[in-house]
Amino acid sequence: YLTANASLSQGGNAVSVNSSDSAGNRNSTQSGEVVAFNLTVDNVVPQVGFNSNVTAVEPVNVSTSATFVNLSSLVSDAALGVYMVRFNVSNNSATDPGLFYVAGLLSGTGGANAAWNATVNVTTLSEGDVRVTAFANDTNTNLNSSEFIFLRVDRTVPSMLLLNSTGGNTTT
């Protein structure tokens, strides 16, 4: 258990510890009387961005023939690295908790600008706009859940009105 008397800055901090008891005996477990180590402070959430030119306002259209959609994001955490990325897919209603898809690391080491990917089976999704939120945890459990996009699921085949040469209408 460590209580710091001074605030530690974000990033690496050199920490020295020494101790003495009420009789004046001092710590001598290492050379000299000081135990030194590096302590990394990380209070910053990972940075998340979707690998797409899609914004939260302009949904990606999922066609009638699509079965799977690949979700991909770039995630970075400069201090300790990224531990896990998950995508939550829901119909954006208060009663739908959505489904979580655990992303796998595609490229990089999990530190700066690593690509994470998950595949979503869209046949299980309801028609309409579906919200996809990226959740990224670093190794210090700092969570970023602020980035999202929308998918528009539309399985309805359009109908056409054809005019034949006799002037009658035919609907298909």
Side-chain angles (χ1 to χ4, degrees):
Y1 181 71
L2 172 67
T3 302
N5 292 332
S7 62
L8 299 173
S9 62
Q10 178 75 16
N13 293 273
V15 178
S16 299
V17 179
N18 59 28
S19 63
S20 61
D21 60 19
S22 59
N25 298 315
R26 296 186 59 104
N27 176 24
S28 60
T29 58
Q30 290 189 356
S31 60
E33 296 181 2
V34 176
V35 176
F37 60 94
N38 289 320
L39 176 69
T40 301
V41 174
D42 180 11
N43 295 319
V44 177
V45 299
Q47 299 301 306
V48 179
F50 280 91
N51 286 345
S52 175
N53 58 358
V54 181
T55 66
V57 182
E58 300 174 22
V60 175
N61 288 317
V62 178
S63 71
T64 58
S65 62
T67 303
F68 296 98
V69 171
N70 287 321
L71 301 174
S72 184
S73 66
L74 282 177
V75 182
S76 68
D77 186 76
L80 295 174
V82 177
Y83 173 68
M84 180 186 292
V85 175
R86 295 174 297 151
F87 296 102
N88 176 260
V89 180
S90 81
N91 69 5
N92 207 24
S93 74
T95 59
D96 179 21
L99 297 172
F100 279 96
Y101 295 85
V102 176
L105 184 61
L106 282 180
S107 65
T109 60
N113 294 322
W116 295 77
N117 185 37
T119 301
V120 175
N121 182 346
V122 295
T123 62
T124 62
L125 301 176
S126 300
E127 285 201 41
D129 288 346
V130 177
R131 181 181 173 128
V132 178
T133 305
F135 290 81
N137 283 80
D138 65 14
T139 56
N140 198 35
T141 67
N142 295 313
L143 174 66
N144 183 343
S145 61
S146 63
E147 296 299 318
F148 63 91
I149 61 171
F150 284 98
L151 299 177
R152 179 165 291 141
V153 179
D154 181 5
R155 293 187 194 88
T156 305
V157 177
S159 63
M160 280 192 293
L161 180 64
L162 299 173
L163 297 176
N164 61 30
S165 61
T166 61
N169 295 340
T170 304
T171 302
T172 60

